[in-house]
Amino acid sequence: MIRTEQLTKAFGGVRAVDGLNLDIAAGEFFAFLGPNGAGKTTTIKLLTGLLKPTSGRALICGHDIQQAPMEARKQIAYVPDLPFLYDKLAPLEFMHFIGQLYGMDRAIVERASAELFDVFDLNGTREKLIETLSHGTRQRLVIASALLHNPKVIIIDEPMVGLDPRSARVVKDVLKERSRNGATVFLSTHILHVAEELADRIGILNHGKLIAVGTMDELRAASGVVGALEDAFLSLTREEEEAPVEPASE
């Protein structure tokens, strides 16, 4: 469902993403980790077509995001770390706006919105202006709107920021349920215990390169650390930082 082939993005002389190869199956919950500046957000922007790669390509459900952007984007739900909302709309109006973007029938939007508002505890906000809502409520609305068209691929960046524990639990449960029902979830987060709890596989990016990918057991084996994901993550990224630099050939 998500495939990248030598995906690379350079800014000047810096390769923010460097030869990234991923193959993420339908129904897989994939967590994407890395230190600040590792290239995670750049990768997400390449996957969603917001950036054009320097080389390589990204495919969503078999569609090249650059060559067939409309077909690819129809399959995607994308929730950025700093989502944009129309403050002068009410939540239900916003859901109808999103439904129109995807060419959804109004009755289907009404039915799906009612279900999502129940799940995300948004019924009390239906007629309020979005500008009056708290950060956590806005975050729940963004996630609900992203799921409105029943996407096959969910790409979500730091979804738990600003959520109280109850709301965070709901988001985790919904994302895991979607993956069990066949959707591919690509979750970028700094909250390692969330990745450890939810992910089928985990990829670790550092300096634009994928330095490790696998299940928790595979990452423990690669790091030589028995314990929590935090320990494996710190060990793997430390090893990358401390790896000797090959001298330039003359």
Side-chain angles (χ1 to χ4, degrees):
M1 299 297 274
I2 298 176
R3 183 179 177 87
T4 67
E5 299 173 352
Q6 290 296 313
L7 190 64
T8 299
K9 181 63 180 178
F11 297 98
V14 177
R15 289 195 173 195
V17 177
D18 191 359
L20 179 64
N21 291 307
L22 288 173
D23 198 348
I24 305 172
E28 183 173 1
F29 200 121
F30 188 86
F32 199 49
L33 311 179
N36 289 332
K40 300 187 302 299
T41 298
T42 300
T43 299
I44 286 175
K45 289 181 177 179
L46 292 168
L47 293 178
T48 54
L50 296 176
L51 282 176
K52 185 176 181 179
T54 304
S55 61
R57 63 178 186 158
L59 297 98
I60 304 294
C61 300
H63 303 291
D64 187 313
I65 190 67
Q66 295 296 323
Q67 300 299 319
M70 294 302 294
E71 290 82 357
R73 286 177 178 144
K74 286 177 183 177
Q75 311 302 329
I76 296 174
Y78 171 45
V79 181
D81 56 342
L82 296 172
F84 175 80
L85 289 164
Y86 291 95
D87 283 349
K88 298 303 181 182
L89 294 179
L92 189 56
E93 292 175 323
F94 182 68
M95 297 293 273
H96 278 289
F97 170 72
I98 297 298
Q100 289 174 355
L101 292 179
Y102 286 98
M104 297 174 65
D105 183 81
R106 186 177 181 86
I108 295 175
V109 173
E110 287 279 353
R111 184 165 60 251
S113 296
E115 293 172 359
L116 289 163
F117 277 26
D118 281 342
V119 169
F120 288 100
D121 192 23
L122 291 167
N123 283 315
T125 72
R126 294 167 68 94
E127 306 301 331
K128 296 180 180 179
L129 289 181
I130 289 173
E131 66 182 1
T132 68
L133 303 180
S134 68
H135 175 79
T137 304
R138 291 162 68 99
Q139 184 76 353
R140 283 183 279 129
L141 175 60
V142 166
I143 297 171
S145 68
L147 301 178
L148 182 66
H149 66 293
N150 197 26
K152 293 181 179 179
V153 174
I154 301 167
I155 299 173
I156 190 163
D157 195 359
E158 296 294 354
M160 308 305 170
V161 174
L163 295 181
D164 60 61
R166 184 181 298 276
S167 297
R169 178 76 268 165
V170 169
V171 170
K172 289 188 287 186
D173 288 346
V174 168
L175 293 177
K176 195 64 181 177
E177 181 183 11
R178 293 277 174 147
S179 73
R180 291 194 187 104
N181 290 334
T184 299
V185 178
F186 185 98
L187 170 71
S188 175
T189 184
H190 283 110
I191 307 176
L192 299 185
H193 70 81
V194 170
E196 186 170 5
E197 176 186 353
L198 298 176
D200 300 309
R201 284 194 306 152
I202 297 165
I204 300 176
L205 196 72
N206 201 17
H207 299 303
K209 288 183 175 292
L210 190 67
I211 61 170
V213 63
T215 64
M216 269 302 306
D217 286 342
E218 289 168 340
L219 292 182
R220 289 188 183 104
S223 66
V225 172
V226 177
L229 174 59
E230 180 181 14
D231 300 321
F233 175 84
L234 292 174
S235 175
L236 289 164
T237 53
R238 185 183 305 116
E239 289 172 7
E240 178 75 8
E241 296 291 346
E242 295 174 354
V245 177
E246 293 291 333
S249 59
E250 296 182 0

